[in-house]
Amino acid sequence: MSLFQNALRSVVSSPGILSGYPGLGYAGLTNSASKVNVRSSLTISAFYSGIDMIANSIAILPHHVINKTDDNIDHLVDHPVHQLLNKRPNNYQTPFVFKHLIASVALMRGNFFAGIMTDDDGNIVGLEFWESNLVTVLDYNNELFYQYKGNTYRSDQVIHIPAFSFDGKLGKSVLEFAADNLGTTLNAQKFGSSSLEDQGLSYGIIESEKSLNPEAKDAIGTAFSKRLTTMSKHRAAVLDEGMVYKRIGLNPEESKFIETYANGIEDIARWLHIPNHKLRTKGEGGYNSMVQLELDYLQSAVKPLAQKIKEELDYKLFTTSEKENGVAIDQNFKILLQVDPKSRAEYYKSMVFLKAMTPNEIRVLESLNPYKGGEEFLQMSNLLNEQQLK
């Protein structure tokens, strides 16, 4: 391995820099971007909610191993990969936590890495989550290699899910591009917080009809500031005759703080490709439009990332012969489209009507036990032709 490592010459980059290790700010067009990092961005409620929502959608998405042939689909529940993705990927994480990490780390750090653990016979026995800031990706002879904690791994030994990418080798965190917007929102939050702490007090000047020497000006200013900056509940200052206090600076209303923060939420929704209502904003209503927005969320925010995950798992977790014989990961998005019971009943009715589902298939989806005879497709009698009625 040492000879191989000495041969590596082209270091692509270090995800510890690209993926936004906590404490490292992102360069942007404004000074506000320097305040943005993984930790500070998650203090913005809308951004935290958006990231967590997409990650939760990926985490609850079933990942089954199937064998798809021309006329049949078999669920391979005993396949080792099925057990890893649905029972326990490693000793530390549940399937939900592991899949949640895939989405959240890919979005926040730009790249998700996991080592594929095998036994002495080469059988996959686990998926080990890797901290992306400790991974270095190397390009040698047009093949990627990964260095993690002093060891070097081939590409087929590593699950790598990149986010937005310019070269297909390393992904870019959304924070790198959204830093300016998020920095402005952080400034709005800070301004609102400091304004509340000061109970609306701000900078000001004291005008006097009399001429004052510098010592008198300093004494008046110091006394006035001391009286108003005390931490007691009741603060008041008394001005001498002919003196007037005039406030300078902007209060939250004058700076349109609420509008600025609302615009920040809309920007976050755009960065994450999710409808505004998913971030608990007001103004989007109507049952039909909400259903359409849920479909839009699924198509824009969830499915693209889910497809990246599926393609990587399909390529890295199955043997060549398995892939040639139609073994693959199946992601069932129905769980993300569950609506009210009435709409579900109408959907099932239509599926039975079209002979696309049997009653027992519906009962399984509704967590009900099958019944004898329910495995048969039903025929709607009012659609029988004359020959069938005889």
Side-chain angles (χ1 to χ4, degrees), residues 225-283:
S225 298
K226 183 177 180 181
R227 182 63 63 87
L228 290 185
T229 56
T230 180
M231 297 306 294
S232 61
K233 292 184 178 180
H234 305 289
R235 292 180 280 185
V238 178
L239 297 176
D240 290 333
E241 182 180 358
M243 292 185 179
V244 178
Y245 174 76
K246 290 188 176 181
R247 184 180 184 281
I248 60 176
L250 302 177
N251 58 33
E253 291 77 18
E254 291 168 332
S255 65
K256 297 183 179 180
F257 166 72
I258 300 299
E259 181 180 344
T260 299
Y261 192 72
N263 289 339
I265 294 176
E266 292 178 0
D267 285 334
I268 289 170
R270 282 191 287 269
W271 284 114
L272 299 179
H273 305 295
I274 58 180
N276 289 348
H277 84 278
K278 300 293 283 186
L279 299 180
R280 306 298 187 264
T281 57
K282 298 180 180 180

Side-chain angles (χ1 to χ4, degrees), residues 121-174:
D121 297 325
N123 300 312
I124 297 176
V125 296
L127 299 172
E128 178 190 15
F129 168 68
W130 288 359
E131 298 178 54
S132 58
N133 55 290
L134 302 180
V135 180
T136 300
V137 182
L138 306 113
D139 186 0
Y140 178 67
N141 283 347
N142 294 321
E143 186 176 353
L144 292 183
F145 295 86
Y146 300 84
Q147 290 185 335
Y148 181 67
K149 293 186 176 180
N151 297 313
T152 302
Y153 301 86
R154 300 187 309 274
S155 178
D156 60 0
Q157 297 175 301
V158 180
I159 296 295
H160 179 194
I161 312 294
F164 183 91
S165 177
F166 289 108
D167 59 8
K169 299 174 183 178
L170 279 176
K172 296 279 189 179
S173 166
V174 67

Side-chain angles (χ1 to χ4, degrees), residues 54-327:
I54 295 173
N56 284 336
S57 297
I58 294 294
I60 65 175
L61 194 63
H63 286 70
H64 299 306
V65 176
I66 63 170
N67 187 12
K68 187 176 181 181
T69 57
D70 293 337
D71 55 357
N72 195 33
I73 296 178
D74 293 325
H75 285 76
L76 308 181
V77 296
D78 294 327
H79 196 286
V81 174
H82 180 91
Q83 297 297 314
L84 289 177
L85 297 179
N86 294 278
K87 298 295 183 182
R88 200 78 180 178
N90 53 59
N91 293 332
Y92 306 101
Q93 292 145 356
T94 64
F96 183 96
V97 172
F98 185 79
K99 289 184 283 188
H100 190 283
L101 277 170
I102 293 178
S104 58
V105 172
L107 291 171
M108 294 292 292
R109 297 185 182 276
N111 298 274
F112 169 86
F113 301 99
I116 301 174
M117 298 181 289
T118 58
D119 59 19
D120 294 337
D121 297 325
N123 300 312
I124 297 176
V125 296
L127 299 172
E128 178 190 15
F129 168 68
W130 288 359
E131 298 178 54
S132 58
N133 55 290
L134 302 180
V135 180
T136 300
V137 182
L138 306 113
D139 186 0
Y140 178 67
N141 283 347
N142 294 321
E143 186 176 353
L144 292 183
F145 295 86
Y146 300 84
Q147 290 185 335
Y148 181 67
K149 293 186 176 180
N151 297 313
T152 302
Y153 301 86
R154 300 187 309 274
S155 178
D156 60 0
Q157 297 175 301
V158 180
I159 296 295
H160 179 194
I161 312 294
F164 183 91
S165 177
F166 289 108
D167 59 8
K169 299 174 183 178
L170 279 176
K172 296 279 189 179
S173 166
V174 67
L175 295 180
E176 294 195 50
F177 305 103
D180 289 312
N181 283 141
L182 294 176
T184 300
T185 304
L186 284 172
N187 284 338
Q189 284 188 170
K190 184 178 180 180
F191 176 69
S193 176
S194 61
S195 179
L196 289 174
E197 288 178 358
D198 294 335
Q199 297 185 14
L201 297 175
S202 185
Y203 300 101
I205 59 174
I206 297 174
E207 291 184 351
S208 174
E209 296 177 353
K210 301 178 181 179
S211 177
L212 300 175
N213 58 43
E215 291 78 13
K217 291 180 181 179
D218 290 340
I220 294 172
T222 300
F224 188 82
S225 298
K226 183 177 180 181
R227 182 63 63 87
L228 290 185
T229 56
T230 180
M231 297 306 294
S232 61
K233 292 184 178 180
H234 305 289
R235 292 180 280 185
V238 178
L239 297 176
D240 290 333
E241 182 180 358
M243 292 185 179
V244 178
Y245 174 76
K246 290 188 176 181
R247 184 180 184 281
I248 60 176
L250 302 177
N251 58 33
E253 291 77 18
E254 291 168 332
S255 65
K256 297 183 179 180
F257 166 72
I258 300 299
E259 181 180 344
T260 299
Y261 192 72
N263 289 339
I265 294 176
E266 292 178 0
D267 285 334
I268 289 170
R270 282 191 287 269
W271 284 114
L272 299 179
H273 305 295
I274 58 180
N276 289 348
H277 84 278
K278 300 293 283 186
L279 299 180
R280 306 298 187 264
T281 57
K282 298 180 180 180
E284 294 179 340
Y287 177 79
N288 291 332
S289 66
M290 292 295 282
V291 171
Q292 203 61 41
L293 289 170
E294 288 297 318
L295 289 172
D296 178 57
Y297 163 71
L298 180 61
Q299 294 290 343
S300 301
V302 179
K303 277 193 171 184
L305 181 56
Q307 184 65 21
K308 283 185 180 181
I309 297 170
K310 170 182 163 52
E311 290 178 357
E312 180 72 356
L313 297 180
D314 282 344
Y315 186 73
K316 299 287 182 67
L317 298 185
F318 301 117
T319 65
T320 301
S321 62
E322 284 180 325
K323 288 181 282 190
E324 290 175 350
N325 290 323
V327 177

Side-chain angles (χ1 to χ4, degrees), residues 320-377:
T320 301
S321 62
E322 284 180 325
K323 288 181 282 190
E324 290 175 350
N325 290 323
V327 177
I329 300 294
D330 177 58
Q331 298 170 325
N332 191 338
F333 293 94
K334 291 187 179 69
I335 193 172
L336 300 178
L337 292 174
Q338 288 183 346
V339 290
D340 61 275
K342 181 179 178 182
S343 298
R344 261 200 335 272
E346 289 295 327
Y347 168 74
Y348 291 147
K349 181 179 177 181
S350 298
M351 295 300 283
V352 171
F353 182 85
L354 296 171
K355 297 180 69 174
M357 295 179 71
T358 66
N360 277 351
E361 288 174 329
I362 295 173
R363 292 180 68 83
V364 170
L365 292 175
E366 291 295 311
S367 299
L368 299 173
N369 291 325
Y371 66 87
K372 186 177 181 180
E375 67 278 0
E376 300 292 336
F377 287 102

